[in-house]
Amino acid sequence: MKTTELNVGKAVLVCCNLVFLLSGLALVVLGAVLLTDVPRVLLSRLLGSHHVPAHPLFYYTALGLMGTGLLICATGVLGFWATCLHSHCLLALFLFFLVVLLLAESSLGVLAVVCPEYLGATVSVKQLTQSLQRTYGVPGKEQFTAAVDLAQTIFQCCGIIGAIDYDVSWWRLRELGQPDLFLPRSCCLLINPPSDSKAFLDPHPLNMSACQSLDQGLYRMARHTEGCFAQLEMWFRYHTTLFLAIGSGLVLVELSVLLSAIFLCSKLPKYRRYTSESRDPGLKST
């Protein structure tokens, strides 16, 4: 009976730990894929624009996913090792790393939901508008400029609230662009093919003169008139929900591994006492 319980505990822990290890590998792959997804990473530059870090938000997210995945893989290997050796010390170390991972991931998830501004995971119409007016087209801010052009190209929009955002922008007032441009070319309807993923870097307007016209009857057919904020917010909410779902699934896997490891720990000492007594019956009499 004791042997059966121990074997069941080992089998459950091995199965749960295997899923745990595979989830770590999946996180590493997901982080690598995200890191190479240049448009998605670049677009995340518009998130949390009040505090501008050195790199876009998803750049750090990708590195975090890869780092967490590697740590999970190392912990999973430790779990297999502890299961095979029946070592109390290794199982205790395995449990310690599991608890640390659970607490860290849970705290990060709560922080992302309750106070996302501390992680730079916010999107504010006021902050975005101010950032566009003060940063777009400014020398040394090419990454932010490219992110705005990308948003205006893929979402088919212009500005944050609308094209009026550019009227008092430094790009317009300081004539940082071409003198004859009232709006960026990415605000115009383009002749670039839809499959051109780099259209935002070299946009070709369908009708440049009509796009830059002040006549509403002309520019309505040549440029985008809606602002980008609504679509940016939807894009942000989608990715926030996706990352929270991944984190929740990972926490459930870690909980199952933790419970199975605790179950094995509870059975291992009993099994060892039972084995020692069965090998030396004199132990009972003494």
Side-chain angles (χ1 to χ4, degrees), residues 149-278:
D149 286 332
L150 175 62
Q152 293 178 156
T153 301
I154 63 175
F155 295 142
Q156 298 183 352
C157 54
C158 185
I160 303 302
I161 300 175
I164 194 174
D165 294 337
Y166 289 101
D167 291 348
V168 292
S169 66
W170 289 2
W171 175 81
R172 175 81 176 275
L173 298 177
R174 296 184 179 183
E175 297 183 351
L176 298 175
Q178 298 178 12
D180 58 336
L181 292 183
F182 295 100
L183 296 170
R185 291 183 297 168
S186 56
C187 281
C188 305
L189 297 179
L190 305 178
I191 60 174
N192 299 69
S195 59
D196 185 5
S197 61
K198 297 183 179 180
F200 68 100
L201 296 175
D202 186 24
H204 297 287
L206 180 65
N207 190 332
M208 176 66 84
S209 59
C211 176
Q212 301 296 326
S213 174
L214 299 178
D215 186 349
Q216 184 176 3
L218 291 176
Y219 71 68
R220 286 184 64 87
M221 303 300 295
R223 74 177 187 229
H224 309 301
T225 56
E226 295 184 359
C228 298
F229 180 75
Q231 297 187 68
L232 274 173
E233 188 176 31
M234 290 178 59
W235 181 86
F236 169 67
R237 300 302 176 196
Y238 166 77
H239 285 86
T240 300
T241 304
L242 179 63
F243 287 132
L244 287 176
I246 293 174
S248 300
L250 185 60
V251 167
L252 290 177
V253 171
E254 291 172 355
L255 279 174
S256 65
V257 176
L258 181 63
L259 293 176
S260 59
I262 293 175
F263 176 77
L264 180 60
C265 285
S266 66
K267 299 303 178 182
L268 188 58
K270 295 179 181 180
Y271 173 73
R272 285 187 169 179
R273 288 199 300 269
Y274 173 77
T275 304
S276 300
E277 293 173 356
S278 63

Side-chain angles (χ1 to χ4, degrees), residues 23-99:
S23 65
L25 293 174
L27 280 184
V28 174
V29 174
L30 179 61
V33 171
L34 179 59
L35 194 61
T36 57
D37 192 347
V38 178
R40 197 182 304 272
V41 173
L42 179 60
L43 198 58
S44 69
R45 163 58 76 188
L46 302 179
L47 302 179
S49 56
H50 183 66
H51 304 285
V52 181
H55 297 284
L57 176 63
F58 281 4
Y59 174 83
Y60 299 108
T61 303
L63 294 182
L65 288 173
M66 295 174 67
T68 304
L70 290 175
L71 184 58
I72 288 175
C73 290
T75 305
V77 172
L78 177 63
F80 282 119
W81 192 18
T83 305
C84 294
L85 296 181
H86 295 176
S87 171
H88 288 278
C89 293
L90 289 179
L91 278 174
L93 186 61
F94 178 56
L95 287 171
F96 171 76
F97 281 120
L98 277 176
V99 172

